[in-house]
Amino acid sequence: MSEIEFLSWVRGPGFQIAVIIFIAGVLIRFGEILLLGRKKNLAEAKGSEMSSGLRTIITRSIPDKTTFQRSTFTLVAGYIFHIGIFVTLFLFAPHILMFKEVIGFGWPSIPTPIIDATAVVTIIALLAVLAHRMSNTVLKFLSTKEDYLVWLVTILPLITGYIAFHRIGTTAPTLLAIHILSVELLLVIFPFTKLMHSFTVALSRWYNGAISGYRGVES
Amino acid sequence: MTINKDKSRFDMTLGETLRSQGISRRSFLKFCAATASMMAMSPAMIPKIAHALESARRPSVIWLSFQECTGCTESLTRAHTATIESLIFDYISLDYHHTLMAASGHGAEDARKAAMEENFGKYLLVVDGSIPMGNPGYSTIAGISNYDMLMETAKGAAAIIAVGTCATYGGIPHANPNPTGAVSVGELIKDKPIINVPGCPPIPVVITGVLTHFLTFGTIPELDHIGRPKVFYGQSIHDRCYRRPFYDKGLFAETFDDEGARKGWCLYKLGCKGPTTYNACATTKWNNGTSFPIESGHPCLGCSEPDFWDGGGFYKALSMPTENITKTAIYTAAGAVAAGVALGAMNKSKKNSATKAHNKTTIDDLEK
Amino acid sequence: MSSSTVVPFNIQNGDEMTQNVKPLLHEIKHALDSLIETGKSTIIDLRSIPLAPGEEDKILNTLGQGEVKAQLNALGLSEVNETQYAGVWTVTHYNDEDQIISRFIEVTTMPEILCSQTEDIMAAYSRLAITLDDIVEDNLETN
Ligand code: SF4
Ligand code: SF4
């Protein structure tokens, strides 16, 4: 297979396969969660589920003082790489073009040099997070193979994207193809790992809040 | 000191031929300077090129045209003033080229046979067009199938120059669904040095540049991983594009006539394939250095890369998927939801029957 | 776009786009320095540098026109000009159709192409000898 054929494949059939697995996987996981069902709560509601749920989505996204002091590194590095991924993924002009093609609408991009710098910061944050995970005894003990896999498929698109943009190493079609392939890998693995939290985070935070709300306690 | 008039044209070196035509050494130097510039060589090479070319001997060239549109020959012969192209072109002995030669029919075929015999092992074979493998009858010359003619003529060639994207990578005939089973020269011939000069068409000076290199150094130029001379195909359009600063800043033309287009911003969003295309357009330019497509406001089509015709559309940006992903996504979602509903219904009936079959435990049961 | 619409391109006089103009001028300055120090001449191929439309003119305008302006008639026109900075020359080769085929900036005391070439001198010698013979013969006949 020539490199241009490789590029055509990842832009065409490869992308298709990845999207099929991604969407089907995500829907199945959601189905699993939503169709689980719960026993009817016979206790009388002591407060509103909805308002407490929504409030919790927000409050749990802002760390409280003691948590922040206890795990400053995890929080700072965590925020940096989450925001970084958001910026590089959704605000880079070529990426927006791709979304526009698939979902039918786009949004304004931000200047490429900012994306470039963000990507570097994000990669560093992710590396730091890994170093932390491997050096902290407790964290290391708690880590599973899946954790490392998830870390890898998250950082790969960033690194390959950075290399493809700066055109380092081999020829450009190959670099671009590898970058797209790394994203496809992420899409395929996404629904079956803890990466699903990107979708379920709001849901679970709402649920936490809702339970407390129902009981009439602060969440 | 004076020119040996007895020498046949064939035995003269290029320098002698030129002087016999009244072309001064100074003109020749000028030509060498232009050649060095075109071959992206350092100006320090000019005296070396001059020396080598002056003593070069006239090569015999056989040119075969298969499934092609003659655009490559047009490209080469378009500039027929006393330029680099014509100097080199006048100098080589083009013994067979069925579009350009006066002879036809048996005469033409005899010329090819004669050139092959006389210069066996020494002649250059130039090929444009792809070779149909589906049915030999798809393309024939003088009743000989393209495949047979290529294999026969390639035997005695010192080297083969595949000119144009059809000969190098199959080109348009090879585009999906490839009705004639078209293949490139490189797919059929493995035992000869092949220089790929792709482009649809290639820039004329790139074609002659390769010939010049062969004449100057007697070797084939350094090639990249898909057989292209690195001097011309070593850098991508994007890396040499004067619009690159706009790409780097993220300033793009959104349509062909918006403000960005007028200001000369990057054409990435309009489908530019410059980032993945290796060719000399951005520096050598077209029509004797007048401009090149991007300078005229049109994105690069990627014509010097394999399968450029099947790249998902000329106006589709490189970051866009080539298949209809929206449809794929909707069908998948619909399928998954349908499957979910069916599973849910099954679960529900199971649950119901389970509930129905469920008997409350009584004291009697426990006493059993 | 209807055919009557005129799209005004203003990239010709736009700002510097490739940022190659200044470095190039600096390179010329360095070349002049080494010409003074070591007598080494330098040739810069303007085609080897990506330049936006108008940038080449910008460079040429900066260098300006000096004392020497020479024209060659060799397979089309060539212009060899000394810029207002002595020792910095521009050499432009045209083909028969007045299209530029190459353009160099030479930092030297005298561009090589202006010098008479040995081969041409030799050919000139034999041509002159033949002409002289003819003149002698003519003279003999008329007498
Ligand atoms: S116009 Fe094309 S080649 Fe030029 S910078 Fe933009 S994407 Fe690259
Ligand atoms: S700009 Fe691109 S498509 Fe156009 S001739 Fe050059 S390589 Fe081919």
Side-chain angles (χ1 to χ4, degrees), chain B residues 33-314:
Chain B
T35 304
S37 165
M38 148 197 103
M39 298 212 289
M41 285 179 184
S42 131
M45 286 293 287
I46 297 173
K48 287 200 189 108
I49 296 176
H51 180 75
L53 273 184
E54 277 195 310
S55 42
R57 304 220 161 255
R58 200 156 195 261
S60 160
V61 174
I62 297 178
W63 184 307
L64 299 178
S65 297
F66 299 137
Q67 290 195 124
E68 44 85 50
C69 68
T70 317
C72 294
T73 301
E74 285 286 339
S75 171
L76 183 57
T77 53
R78 231 2 59 171
H80 48 129
T81 49
T83 56
I84 319 148
E85 291 86 10
S86 62
L87 262 184
I88 285 295
F89 215 56
D90 287 348
Y91 178 62
I92 61 171
S93 163
L94 191 56
D95 292 319
Y96 179 91
H97 185 306
H98 70 218
T99 315
L100 297 179
M101 69 198 306
S104 61
H106 290 301
E109 290 314 304
D110 291 345
R112 180 171 64 88
K113 293 254 162 68
M116 279 169 60
E117 265 167 40
E118 244 174 76
N119 307 294
F120 196 86
K122 284 186 298 206
Y123 58 87
L124 270 180
L125 172 59
V126 180
V127 180
D128 65 338
S130 62
I131 302 97
M133 298 304 283
N135 179 335
Y138 282 146
S139 175
T140 62
I141 298 159
I144 307 169
S145 76
N146 288 173
Y147 175 78
D148 289 342
M149 188 177 273
L150 174 66
M151 296 323 259
E152 185 193 335
T153 319
K155 257 184 235 144
I160 301 174
I161 305 180
V163 168
T165 304
C166 298
T168 50
Y169 310 124
I172 298 171
H174 180 270
N176 204 9
N178 190 1
T180 62
V183 298
S184 67
V185 175
E187 277 173 85
L188 296 176
I189 295 172
K190 304 282 178 200
D191 57 348
K192 293 276 169 188
I194 300 176
I195 308 165
N196 282 337
V197 184
C200 196
I203 306 173
V205 295
V206 172
I207 307 178
T208 45
V210 171
L211 286 171
T212 310
H213 187 285
F214 192 78
L215 284 177
T216 314
F217 304 107
T219 55
I220 63 169
E222 199 192 340
L223 306 177
D224 72 0
H225 62 293
I226 47 175
R228 302 175 292 197
K230 279 190 181 162
V231 271
F232 301 111
Y233 299 91
Q235 277 168 317
S236 70
I237 303 288
H238 186 66
D239 287 334
R240 304 297 276 175
C241 179
Y242 73 94
R243 296 193 189 219
R244 180 67 181 273
F246 294 120
Y247 173 89
D248 289 341
K249 280 186 205 133
L251 296 172
F252 302 101
E254 305 280 340
T255 65
F256 281 102
D257 56 352
D258 69 353
E259 194 52 31
R262 268 164 234 192
K263 285 189 179 143
W265 288 356
C266 170
L267 303 169
Y268 185 91
K269 290 192 174 179
L270 294 170
C272 188
K273 304 294 180 295
T276 52
T277 305
Y278 289 76
N279 203 346
C281 305
T283 39
T284 303
K285 305 196 177 176
W286 283 84
N287 299 319
N288 287 318
T290 307
S291 75
F292 74 114
I294 291 171
E295 196 170 337
S296 314
H298 195 281
C300 168
L301 307 179
C303 75
S304 57
E305 295 292 334
D307 300 319
F308 79 102
W309 208 258
D310 293 326
F314 292 155

Side-chain angles (χ1 to χ4, degrees), chain A residues 3-5 7-8 11-13 15-16 19-20 23-24 27 93-94 97-98 101-102 111-113 165 167 171-173 176, chain B residues 225 236 238-239 247-250 252 275-276 278 305-307 311 316-323 325-326 328-329 332-333:
Chain A
E3 56 175 347
I4 295 278
E5 274 173 312
L7 178 62
S8 299
R11 284 178 69 203
F15 205 90
Q16 243 168 342
V19 165
I20 291 172
I23 295 201
L27 287 177
L97 276 183
M98 186 272 293
E101 175 78 2
V102 175
T112 312
F165 178 76
R167 308 159 78 80
T171 43
L176 181 59
Chain B
H225 62 293
S236 70
H238 186 66
D239 287 334
Y247 173 89
D248 289 341
K249 280 186 205 133
F252 302 101
T276 52
Y278 289 76
E305 295 292 334
D307 300 319
K316 212 170 212 182
L318 263 174
S319 63
M320 290 181 180
T322 53
E323 300 284 344
I325 296 297
T326 319
T328 312
T332 314

